[in-house]
Every structure is written in C-alpha cells, then in structure tokens.
Amino acid sequence: MNEELDYAEMLEIPVSTVNVVKKKSFFKRRHRPVEPAPQPEELKEMVVESVNERVGAYVYSEDLTEPAKPEKVKIKDKVSSAAAAIKGKGGKVLFIEAVAIGLIAVAIFVTNIFMPNSAINTFLGIITNTKPAEASEPAYSELKLSPVVSELSDAEISVSDSGVISFTAEASVYPVYSGTISRVYEDSGVYTVEIAHTSAFTSVITGLTHAYYGENTKVAANLPVGYTDGSNEVRVSLYNGGTLLNCVTVTDEVPVWVS
C-alpha cells in the first residue's frame, strides 16, 4: 500500500481512495502439530541412548543374571539303561565264551596226548610252574655200544664172566656211549672215570694213566676220554641203576648186548 501511495505522489495523481489487495503468499505456512513434552522416564532413556551412541564400542552392558544351572543327570538311570543293554546281549556273549573255552580245552587235551613237548604245553607249563612231560629215555639195551679202543690198536679185548670188558695195552680209551662225566678221581697215579650215559645207565673206566676231561664234561663215543701206557689193566664196567650188567660180549673188538 505504501508503494502505491509513493507511486501516486511521484505521478502527482491525487489519491482519494486506495484499494488495498492483499496477495496471498506463495509459500503457505504449515502448521506443525505440537508434540507433547517427553515424560521424565522417556527423557532418561533418550539421554542414555544419546550417550551410548557417542561412546560407541567403549560402552557395554553386563548381564548380571545368574547362569542356568546344568541339569543333574541321574547316574542310577544311566546304569539301569546300560545294564538293560548288556542283559539283552548277555546270552549271546556267554554262549560264545563257552564255545571258545570248550575249543581251547579240547586243543590242550589233544596236544597233551599227542604232542607233549608242543609250544602250548611249554607255555602252560611256565604259567603253572609245571614242566611238560619229558620223553622217556631208551633202555640201556636199546643203545648201540661203541668200541673202547681204536680199530688201529693192537689191544686184545675180552669180557670176564661177570661182564667186565678189559685189556692191557698202550692205547687211547673211548667211552662205550656218549654221555657226561660224573666223576674223576686218581689213586697212586691211576685214574678212574665215571660216565653217565642216561639217568640209569652208567659206565666206569679204571686203570688210565691220564684222564683228559674233568667232571660235568660232555663226551662223545668217537673221542677218547683217557690214555693208558699199558702198565696197568684197563677195565670197563657197565651199570644200570647201580647194578653191574653181565650181558655183553665182544664181536670184532666191538662190545654188543647179549639177548
């Protein structure tokens, strides 16, 4: 309105009336709804959220609630279930064990009869501190005797009425069978040698000028055990269980059993 008055004065146009037109503003004011003021509790939460956003990773919350207690497992229930499972299989297991024990017993029985020196018997003997059955020794009459002097010797071998083999000559003296020397002793420069051929069968050689081996020495039938210079009669006596045997003869300088 003032602009129009000023414009009229400039034109020197008298103004008696003025129409005042109020133009509508292009931009209308929008009336925003008035929000109610936040309550104290809401304001507290807003402040806490604002602080947490600013602090970021340095702010954390701690859960003060007590952890849940683990559920107690009843051992009795587990034992009962395990016992039930074993009970279901117990019949089959006992049957298999019984069959296995029976087979082992049969195997041991058979080996004891037919193979007394088998590995299983030896093993069981070690466990039970018992020795497996030893093979029976042959009888003295089953042994093949050897000559008491070399076949190159000139000694004449004879057998007395009591069954003693003897000769008088320079020669090396051999055992009638392999064995172990159980005793050696000397009397006035003459040696006597006792030989154990088995647990029962033994021989005694007397009249030796030299004895080659000591006690507990194993000897063979083809190796001499002593020497005689021919100054003494050499006598070879055979015993079984301490009893003098009178059941030998000489065939081609070799002693043999008389049946």
Side-chain angles (χ1 to χ4, degrees), residues 126-146:
I126 293 173
I127 295 177
T128 59
N129 293 325
T130 58
K131 296 181 180 179
E134 296 181 355
S136 59
E137 293 180 334
Y140 69 89
S141 58
E142 298 175 357
L143 303 178
K144 184 179 180 179
L145 301 181
S146 299

Side-chain angles (χ1 to χ4, degrees), residues 41-239:
E41 293 296 330
E42 295 179 355
L43 182 61
K44 181 179 179 180
E45 293 180 359
M46 292 172 63
V47 172
V48 172
E49 292 179 358
S50 177
V51 172
N52 289 339
E53 289 178 356
R54 292 181 181 182
V55 177
Y58 295 97
V59 177
Y60 66 94
S61 59
E62 182 178 0
D63 188 5
L64 299 179
T65 59
E66 295 182 359
K69 295 182 179 180
E71 184 180 356
K72 294 182 179 180
V73 179
K74 294 183 179 181
I75 299 177
K76 184 177 181 181
D77 295 341
K78 284 191 173 183
V79 173
S80 299
S81 60
I86 294 173
K87 185 177 181 181
K89 299 179 181 179
K92 294 182 179 179
V93 173
L94 291 177
F95 176 74
I96 294 173
E97 290 180 352
V99 172
I101 293 172
L103 292 176
I104 293 173
V106 171
I108 294 173
F109 177 74
V110 172
T111 53
N112 281 336
I113 295 176
F114 298 102
M115 294 180 290
N117 295 322
S118 63
I120 187 171
N121 286 336
T122 303
F123 175 73
L124 292 175
I126 293 173
I127 295 177
T128 59
N129 293 325
T130 58
K131 296 181 180 179
E134 296 181 355
S136 59
E137 293 180 334
Y140 69 89
S141 58
E142 298 175 357
L143 303 178
K144 184 179 180 179
L145 301 181
S146 299
V148 295
V149 295
S150 171
E151 60 181 8
L152 301 177
S153 175
D154 295 333
E156 294 182 1
I157 307 299
S158 63
V159 178
S160 67
D161 295 338
S162 60
V164 177
I165 304 170
S166 62
F167 70 93
T168 303
E170 180 181 5
S172 294
V173 182
Y174 296 76
V176 294
Y177 194 79
S178 60
T180 302
I181 296 177
S182 57
R183 185 183 179 191
V184 177
Y185 57 94
E186 179 262 341
D187 183 15
S188 300
V190 178
Y191 289 87
T192 298
V193 177
E194 295 182 5
I195 303 173
H197 305 289
T198 67
S199 59
F201 178 51
T202 60
S203 63
V204 178
I205 304 173
T206 62
L208 297 176
T209 306
H210 299 285
Y212 293 156
Y213 305 105
E215 295 180 0
N216 300 321
T217 303
K218 293 184 178 181
V219 293
N222 59 345
L223 295 176
V225 294
Y227 169 80
T228 176
D229 59 5
S231 58
N232 298 298
E233 180 184 36
V234 176
R235 296 163 59 91
V236 180
S237 304
L238 307 180
Y239 296 87

